Amino acid sequence: MAFTEDKLKKVQEIIARYPDGKHKSALIPVLHLAQEEHGGWLSSETMDYVASLLKIEPIEVYEVATFYSMYNLKPVGRYLFEVCQTGPCMVNGSDQIIDYIKEKLGIGVGETTTDGLFTLKTVECLGACGYAPMMQLGKHYREHLTKEKVDQIIEECRSKATSLN
Amino acid sequence: MGRKLLLEKAHVPGIRSYEVYRREGGYASVEKAFKHMSPDLVTEEVKKSGLRGRGGAGFPTGMKWSFLAKPEGVPRYLVCNADESEPGTFKDRYLMEFIPHLLIEGLIVASYALGSNRTYIYIRGEYAWIVDILEQAIAEANANGWLGKNIMGTGFDCQIYVQRGAGAYICGEETALIESLEGKRGNPRIKPPFPAVKGLWDCPTVVNNVETLAAVVPIINLGGEEYAKIGIGKSTGTKLISACGNINKPGVFEIDMTISVEEFIYSEEYCGGIPNGKKLKACIPGGSSVPILPANLLFKTAKGDTRIMNYESLSDGGFATGTMMGSGGFIVLDEDQCVVRHTLTLARFYRHESCGQCSPCREGTGWMEKILKNIEYGKGKKSDIDLLWDIQRKIEGNTICPLGDAAAWPVAAAIRHFRDEFEWHVDNPVESQSRNFGLAHYADPRPVPVTA
């Protein structure tokens, strides 16, 4: 894998935020970029590439990538449903929402639909407790979830995927 | 109607943009500080204001600033902690989303006071869209001369950068945050040395919460003494409370710390009461790690005083009969909620978020989750409740960072105040799968055994 010119420029911009010699600080933001570029997950080749970009050892990348929950170390579907299940969301019915998504998509937590479109992941508190139940989808939150809203979101993703193909 | 210092203008149309923010009086504190005050004088005002850290610990901000070491020729850093991850807490998100320039303004004044030429906002990775909002605000502040080189001719240079995390509650702990900002795993450091002496890249560093830094703006505008007149005792100024759970109006409220807990829950101005005419069972008033209180102890302290929404009153009675202000993540549970199940989700949260450095926390959080799961699913034994108590005691105080305490406290308080609900689960393994224990006698005042 290799970044485009644009992405490489972005990496330089990130490195410039830190004092000279402190470019390792760019690791977490650059891993986010790499994950976006590489279909939403980090393969070992991707991590090695990031190590070479930042001139650090691959192990330094692996230890970070395995620590933070937003990095996916296995392939994920095009649309990743990250549903919060912590206390305040549970009180507002997140368990039922998770069950409904499982039923609707025919997958368990951590699994991907056979068409490669959807992955379901449960996550811990995302800071949307007042707007529960909720999930993260890409860059944004989907809040006040109901079964109807889940149906709509799934439809929306399917039609987006069709128009992209 | 309480006084609003932070969110007063948050809903002015277009306030996210520089023009509107400035027209509404924004950046006046930077003008005042840079033109008329020395950096030390800014710190003095913050000290006088009595402002306490709004992230959860409540440490006096001015004192934290005055601890910052200032060796010649060594850079100093200010880092804004926007890693808001404590379950129940979503106030910083609200502030950054609706009125981002308030944070940027506070950061500029604080950077000036502390001599930080590079200031970082470390924001939790999931708040990805807020990164764009903040970067836009920073760009506008740069374009209008509030950031950059030689700001307002003072000779002071400052730039603000946003750093995104990647999903780790532990990075809200300041030394873990610093590790993460250095591009490493978020493992908390052993203290001392404290960040004020050896922080980011081994340089003196101050880490403050978003709300704390935003509060610097009204402190400078009003003067520290005026600010300190709002509130009661050592709870000065206003506090953002994010309210959630079983209430009619979940959301973020700015309170001056003089209203009662009862008023906060039931008045239309705030939470608007509990939906469907249900009764209040319990409340976790300061984010998931502070002790849960049953209704009877929530409204009145053990001494019978009205409990007020402030640092002192919420912690009245210690952990035996009190709780904490914490981060202001206010979680309300009605009579239909199961304390065992709720505690289980919190135990799972802390197991998931333990960084794994210290054995008591790494192993203990996992054990607590397993035992709570057994009790919740009808497979528990009476001795499990004592075992849970024992485990939490062995975690508390035995870890490098406060995550261990934060994991132990919710379990301890749940057992302390709701032991009969745990016992009911054990005694009724079948029935407990189809219905909840309910309110029982918690709504009535009753003596609480002092076990802590």
Side-chain angles (χ1 to χ4, degrees):
Chain A
M1 108 149 237
F3 278 168
T4 58
E5 278 304 310
D6 266 11
K7 282 270 148 82
L8 286 173
K9 216 179 118 205
K10 181 81 192 156
V11 171
Q12 289 314 313
E13 275 171 33
I14 295 170
I15 291 173
R17 296 173 189 167
Y18 318 107
D20 289 346
K22 305 298 182 195
H23 52 274
K24 189 180 169 179
S25 286
L27 178 54
I28 287 172
V30 173
L31 278 175
H32 278 305
L33 282 182
Q35 182 162 284
E36 279 164 30
E37 279 295 89
H38 186 69
W41 72 291
L42 296 171
S43 64
S44 45
E45 292 74 32
T46 307
M47 291 190 267
D48 292 349
Y49 175 71
V50 168
S52 70
L53 265 184
L54 296 178
K55 299 181 182 67
I56 56 178
E57 293 300 323
I59 184 69
E60 296 178 81
V61 181
Y62 306 157
E63 58 182 25
V64 163
T66 53
F67 185 84
Y68 296 93
S69 63
M70 289 182 79
Y71 299 130
N72 300 307
L73 304 176
K74 286 190 306 193
V76 291
R78 185 181 282 176
Y79 302 102
L80 178 59
F81 288 1
E82 297 177 279
V83 189
C84 176
Q85 56 172 354
T86 315
C89 272
M90 184 275 286
V91 165
N92 284 291
S94 60
D95 292 348
Q96 288 78 358
I97 292 292
I98 293 165
D99 287 344
Y100 184 69
I101 296 173
K102 282 187 196 165
E103 183 196 313
K104 185 88 189 176
L105 297 177
I107 52 172
V109 173
E111 293 175 357
T112 302
T113 52
T114 46
D115 59 6
L117 275 188
F118 299 100
T119 299
L120 173 63
K121 188 171 165 185
T122 51
V123 295
E124 299 297 343
C125 192
L126 296 189
C129 317
Y131 324 111
M134 64 78 66
M135 66 156 107
Q136 177 146 34
L137 177 58
K139 199 174 185 175
H140 294 277
Y141 284 5
R142 300 299 179 96
E143 298 170 329
H144 300 294
L145 291 180
T146 57
K147 288 179 181 175
E148 293 70 38
K149 270 201 185 167
V150 168
D151 287 344
Q152 278 169 21
I153 293 168
I154 292 173
E155 258 332 290
E156 182 192 315
C157 293
R158 284 208 170 112
S159 59
K160 222 191 281 172
T162 315
S163 66
L164 286 172
N165 285 337
Chain B
M1 190 79 172
R3 193 155 169 195
K4 308 263 183 287
L5 300 175
L6 303 176
L7 300 184
E8 189 190 358
K9 302 272 171 67
H11 297 290
V12 171
I15 195 75
R16 217 188 252 175
S17 76
Y18 173 77
E19 285 71 31
V20 177
Y21 183 76
R22 177 73 174 144
R23 191 188 67 212
E24 293 290 327
Y27 290 95
S29 73
V30 182
E31 284 178 314
K32 184 172 174 184
F34 281 38
K35 278 188 193 152
H36 307 292
M37 296 165 81
S38 68
D40 286 346
L41 199 61
V42 174
T43 303
E44 256 334 286
E45 288 303 315
V46 173
K47 269 190 186 169
K48 277 187 213 158
S49 74
L51 176 67
R52 295 169 66 173
R54 301 294 197 229
F59 190 82
T61 305
M63 202 185 289
K64 194 174 191 178
W65 287 13
S66 65
F67 290 156
L68 185 70
K70 295 177 179 165
E72 202 58 39
V74 179
R76 302 187 284 274
Y77 296 102
L78 170 63
V79 180
C80 170
N81 185 346
D83 192 55
E84 182 168 68
S85 310
E86 170 97 355
T89 316
F90 49 100
K91 65 184 178 73
D92 295 337
R93 162 191 170 182
Y94 189 93
L95 192 150
M96 293 186 286
E97 211 174 335
F98 286 98
I99 187 160
H101 277 286
L102 184 70
L103 173 62
I104 305 305
E105 181 177 352
L107 276 168
I108 296 169
V109 175
S111 299
Y112 171 71
L114 299 166
S116 169
N117 304 120
R118 276 178 200 262
T119 291
Y120 295 91
I121 302 172
Y122 182 96
I123 186 166
R124 68 176 300 175
E126 293 89 346
Y127 286 173
W129 76 99
I130 302 178
V131 173
D132 297 343
I133 295 172
L134 291 172
E135 285 184 339
Q136 171 73 26
I138 292 167
E140 289 174 338
N142 266 296
N144 288 281
W146 304 106
L147 283 169
K149 300 257 178 232
N150 188 21
I151 303 167
M152 295 176 65
T154 51
F156 177 67
D157 305 339
C158 185
Q159 200 46 264
I160 299 175
Y161 303 96
V162 184
Q163 175 91 355
R164 225 180 121 194
Y169 167 73
I170 190 61
C171 291
E173 194 279 337
E174 58 181 10
T175 60
L177 187 156
I178 289 169
E179 287 283 304
S180 182
L181 188 44
E182 292 182 1
K184 298 183 249 174
R185 296 166 77 94
N187 286 349
R189 296 176 180 172
I190 293 171
K191 296 188 258 190
F194 287 90
V197 176
K198 211 174 165 188
L200 182 59
W201 301 305
D202 285 345
C203 298
T205 303
V206 166
V207 182
N208 282 145
N209 171 261
V210 169
E211 186 189 345
T212 311
L213 289 160
V216 171
V217 174
I219 289 170
I220 295 306
N221 285 336
L222 295 169
E225 274 170 32
E226 275 304 304
Y227 183 90
K229 285 180 189 161
I230 304 162
I232 306 176
K234 285 184 181 160
S235 296
T236 61
T238 61
K239 174 86 188 85
L240 299 183
I241 305 288
S242 58
C244 62
N246 302 120
I247 48 174
N248 279 314
K249 290 167 55 190
V252 177
F253 303 99
E254 182 171 7
I255 59 164
D256 60 14
M257 293 178 269
T258 59
I259 63 166
S260 72
V261 178
E262 190 166 2
E263 184 190 344
F264 183 70
I265 293 180
Y266 288 103
S267 94
E268 277 310 306
E269 197 186 335
Y270 302 106
C271 303
I274 294 167
N276 309 317
K278 299 277 182 191
K279 288 189 181 130
L280 174 72
K281 177 171 184 172
C283 175
I284 302 172
S288 62
S289 56
V290 312
I292 187 171
L293 282 187
N296 59 317
L297 282 173
L298 183 68
F299 293 156
K300 291 221 184 296
T301 66
K303 287 180 283 184
D305 297 333
T306 301
R307 211 183 278 280
I308 307 292
M309 295 283 291
N310 66 35
Y311 293 94
E312 291 79 19
S313 184
L314 285 169
S315 60
D316 189 297
F319 277 8
T321 59
T323 177
M324 278 170 80
M325 182 84 177
S327 61
F330 196 89
I331 308 169
V332 177
L333 303 181
D334 73 16
E335 58 187 295
D336 291 343
Q337 299 305 328
C338 171
V339 168
V340 176
R341 186 165 187 79
H342 195 265
T343 310
L344 166 62
T345 73
L346 300 184
R348 182 184 59 211
F349 173 85
Y350 291 106
R351 187 265 303 152
H352 184 261
E353 302 300 340
S354 173
C355 80
Q357 270 194 117
C358 313
S359 323
C361 174
R362 181 187 62 239
E363 305 301 324
T365 53
W367 294 348
M368 291 198 301
E369 184 196 359
K370 278 183 201 154
I371 295 165
L372 280 161
K373 213 181 223 168
N374 281 342
I375 298 174
E376 166 65 11
Y377 291 105
K379 293 178 198 137
K381 301 192 291 279
K382 274 276 170 60
S383 60
D384 284 342
I385 304 169
D386 295 322
L387 183 59
L388 261 183
W389 183 264
D390 190 53
I391 295 169
Q392 65 81 18
R393 284 298 292 261
K394 291 193 164 83
I395 300 174
E396 189 190 4
N398 291 323
T399 54
I400 290 173
C401 87
L403 192 140
D405 300 346
W409 294 342
V411 172
I415 298 174
R416 184 181 300 125
H417 300 301
F418 297 89
R419 190 175 179 111
D420 34 9
E421 188 162 343
F422 284 81
E423 288 174 351
W424 179 80
H425 272 258
V426 171
D427 293 337
N428 301 279
V430 179
E431 197 186 352
S432 67
Q433 300 310 296
S434 57
R435 77 170 185 93
N436 283 330
F437 186 63
L439 193 63
H441 48 249
Y442 299 131
D444 306 318
R446 67 184 181 110
V448 172
V450 180
T451 45

